[in-house]
Amino acid sequence: MRLTDAEKAMLEGAEGPAVARAMDLLVRYGEALGAERLVETNNVCGTIGATTPFMRDFAAERGGLDAVFSEFNLDSAEVVKVPKAKTYACHLQQGMDPENAEAMGLKPEMVQLFRRGEAFSASLGVQLMNTCTPYQVGNLPKKGEHCAWMESSAVVYCNSVLGARTNTEGRESTGAAMLTGRIPYWGLHIEENRRGTHLVRLEVELADVADWGLFGYYIGEIVQDRIPVIAGVTGTPDLPRLKHFGAAASTSGGVEMYHIVGVTPEAPTVEAAFGPKRPVETIRYGRAERRLAYERVNATARDREIQFVMLGCPHYSLEQIRNVCRLLEGRRIHPDVSLWIFTPRAIRQLADRNGYTRIIKAAGGKLMSDTCSAMSRAIPPGTRVAAFDSVKQAHYLPAIMGIQGWFGTTADCIEAAVRGRFEADLR
Ligand code: F3S
């Protein structure tokens, strides 16, 4: 791999041992990928701190969170003192909501661990956004900007909707990127790798966010980690629709980028989205495909009586919370059902000020932040059947927790929360 003089100096220790370790990791990683060089980045979204009991014990034995960062972010057996982040950096979702730890079944020592991790991240200058949707709370890289982001649903949004450039990085590469301001130049950093591979003809109206999730789920399974170009979309899908489409496509497949002709920034036309390439396949999405996707998402669901409704995967926007409040205001959740709604912490504070948190609480639900059920492995005790308005959560949580999961619209889920039964079908 070719390094600039500044990068060689970092590798040789000019900026201290942690930066040298970070550069060493990036060189090894880049060479394994076949990257010829690194590219500068000033936008990193990652994970640091001791996020599991194992890491907590590791920190206790090896000398604190510098040791955890050395081992798990820098792949360094030697413990190095971690300097402040060189780049703009923000923290992704965590393993708990410290303000709802009891409901999540977490012991006080886990909350202490969380708080220590947060203090460590803050001391490095990492923004404590604690969300899978950093783009909803102010991290909006510009078109063409090179980033180093983790979290599949954020990566696909970053590439597709914002037109910024990132691969799906890991804890190690984002840790190294925030100390060096570099990431390997490969994959979606390179212009020609961002062209479409599959043409998708949309032949059914997508009425709501749930419809966009089903559409993404169907397409992701077919294209896997390649790049679909969607033609036939009328109007401009809003943030929740694009968020759910990408999250679903990266769930059933490994989609890191999509184009919607006339909507996303690198697809003004079908021709521009493909560039010199020709589509390897043309996919049709009509009523039959929509039904098939719905049945696949609901594959685990049998019993209609539910005990849990989880909303906010990916984390809800303020407008989605407002929508829930419209559906919920003046009603009570069934006594056998828990309703948890996840959003970034910054949005929860806005929801508090707007009175939305109060409406949800009055109905018997909880507005939570920083995590979700899949990340925290936390569901209300006694949950056998849950309902979701997210394809991604309906795909993962039943597999993770051994429960049944229904997927429907937000209105279907709120109705189920109030009645204690999921009665909806695809309309
Ligand atoms: Fe976010 Fe959890 Fe879904 S981290 S994308 S809410 S699985």
Side-chain angles (χ1 to χ4, degrees):
M1 182 184 277
R2 288 193 320 273
L3 298 183
T4 63
D5 289 346
E7 289 160 359
K8 280 183 201 151
M10 283 192 252
L11 185 62
E12 285 158 12
E15 297 185 28
V19 174
R21 292 285 181 286
M23 189 52 81
D24 175 61
L25 184 146
L26 290 174
V27 169
R28 284 186 284 137
Y29 172 48
E31 285 179 345
L33 295 165
E36 290 178 2
R37 64 179 177 92
L38 302 171
V39 65
E40 288 189 27
T41 178
N42 189 34
N43 192 319
V44 179
C45 291
T47 297
I48 58 182
T51 48
T52 64
F54 173 77
M55 288 185 189
R56 174 196 57 197
D57 297 345
F58 188 91
E61 281 165 25
R62 298 287 300 277
L65 292 171
D66 279 327
V68 172
F69 195 100
S70 300
E71 177 75 27
F72 296 101
N73 290 87
L74 297 179
D75 189 32
S76 166
E78 184 194 344
V79 177
V80 289
K81 172 90 184 108
V82 184
K84 285 195 185 300
K86 185 181 272 183
T87 66
Y88 170 85
C90 74
H91 206 292
L92 289 167
Q93 69 273 11
Q94 305 252 13
M96 73 165 74
D97 174 358
E99 287 165 34
N100 283 288
E102 202 180 325
M104 302 188 95
L106 293 158
K107 298 204 175 94
E109 56 262 32
M110 288 307 291
V111 178
Q112 282 168 13
L113 180 67
F114 176 95
R115 298 284 187 209
R116 278 204 299 277
E118 274 209 330
F120 179 73
S121 299
S123 76
L124 303 182
V126 174
Q127 314 287 351
L128 298 172
M129 289 181 176
N130 294 2
T131 176
C132 48
T133 59
Y135 51 86
Q136 294 194 132
V137 287
N139 186 351
L140 287 160
K142 291 282 172 289
K143 182 169 181 260
E145 187 174 341
H146 293 283
C147 302
W149 284 22
M150 283 173 67
E151 167 48 41
S152 61
S153 69
V155 164
V156 67
Y157 195 94
C158 181
N159 281 312
S160 315
V161 182
L162 303 179
R165 300 183 175 201
T166 183
N167 296 305
T168 305
E169 298 296 344
R171 179 178 174 129
E172 300 80 1
S173 53
T174 52
M178 73 179 229
L179 296 190
T180 59
R182 301 290 191 283
I183 197 74
Y185 183 68
W186 74 289
L188 293 173
H189 290 288
I190 300 171
E191 181 86 28
E192 55 263 35
N193 295 342
R194 301 173 64 83
R195 310 285 195 210
T197 58
H198 292 62
L199 180 62
V200 180
R201 295 204 181 281
L202 179 63
E203 296 176 0
V204 64
E205 192 196 342
L206 302 180
D208 49 33
V209 173
D211 253 348
W212 277 88
L214 290 174
F215 183 33
Y217 199 64
Y218 183 84
I219 297 304
E221 194 168 348
I222 295 176
V223 308
Q224 289 297 307
D225 58 354
R226 289 168 291 170
I227 302 177
V229 176
I230 321 297
V233 172
T234 51
T236 305
D238 59 8
L239 185 153
R241 286 168 169 78
L242 297 171
K243 178 174 68 171
H244 277 257
F245 175 74
S250 66
T251 295
S252 57
V255 174
E256 294 175 296
M257 179 162 190
Y258 61 81
H259 298 286
I260 300 179
V261 177
V263 174
T264 56
E266 293 168 62
T269 62
V270 172
E271 293 71 28
F274 282 103
K277 294 184 181 171
R278 297 274 67 80
V280 296
E281 188 182 342
T282 298
I283 303 163
R284 176 184 170 276
Y285 185 80
R287 292 193 71 79
E289 290 75 18
R290 179 170 169 263
R291 166 58 70 180
L292 193 62
Y294 181 80
E295 281 166 11
R296 284 185 186 150
V297 178
N298 279 300
T300 64
R302 293 181 307 278
D303 302 332
R304 294 278 173 185
E305 277 189 9
I306 59 160
Q307 296 78 42
F308 180 36
V309 174
M310 200 221 101
L311 308 176
C313 168
H315 281 174
Y316 257 6
S317 66
L318 192 61
E319 194 57 18
Q320 287 176 290
I321 296 171
R322 177 178 178 233
N323 183 37
V324 163
C325 289
R326 282 186 183 139
L327 295 163
L328 204 53
E329 192 162 16
R331 305 175 83 188
R332 272 300 295 176
I333 292 161
H334 190 278
D336 298 338
V337 177
S338 300
L339 169 66
W340 292 359
I341 303 169
F342 292 90
T343 192
R345 196 186 298 195
I347 292 181
R348 186 167 77 181
Q349 285 167 355
L350 288 174
D352 291 349
R353 296 177 73 185
N354 267 88
Y356 300 146
T357 313
R358 184 178 40 73
I359 293 169
I360 293 165
K361 194 172 169 200
K366 286 185 189 303
L367 186 60
M368 301 163 78
S369 68
D370 294 44
T371 189
C372 71
S373 285
M375 282 304 296
S376 59
R377 296 337 193 217
I379 54 177
T383 298
R384 287 186 307 101
V385 188
F388 313 100
D389 66 352
S390 157
V391 163
K392 180 171 179 174
Q393 199 72 198
H395 177 97
Y396 284 121
L397 201 65
I400 292 170
M401 303 303 291
I403 59 172
Q404 296 177 43
W406 288 101
F407 166 78
T409 65
T410 306
D412 294 340
C413 290
I414 293 298
E415 209 52 38
V418 170
R419 291 171 187 265
R421 286 180 64 81
F422 189 90
E423 299 285 11
D425 196 357
L426 186 64
R427 280 182 286 275

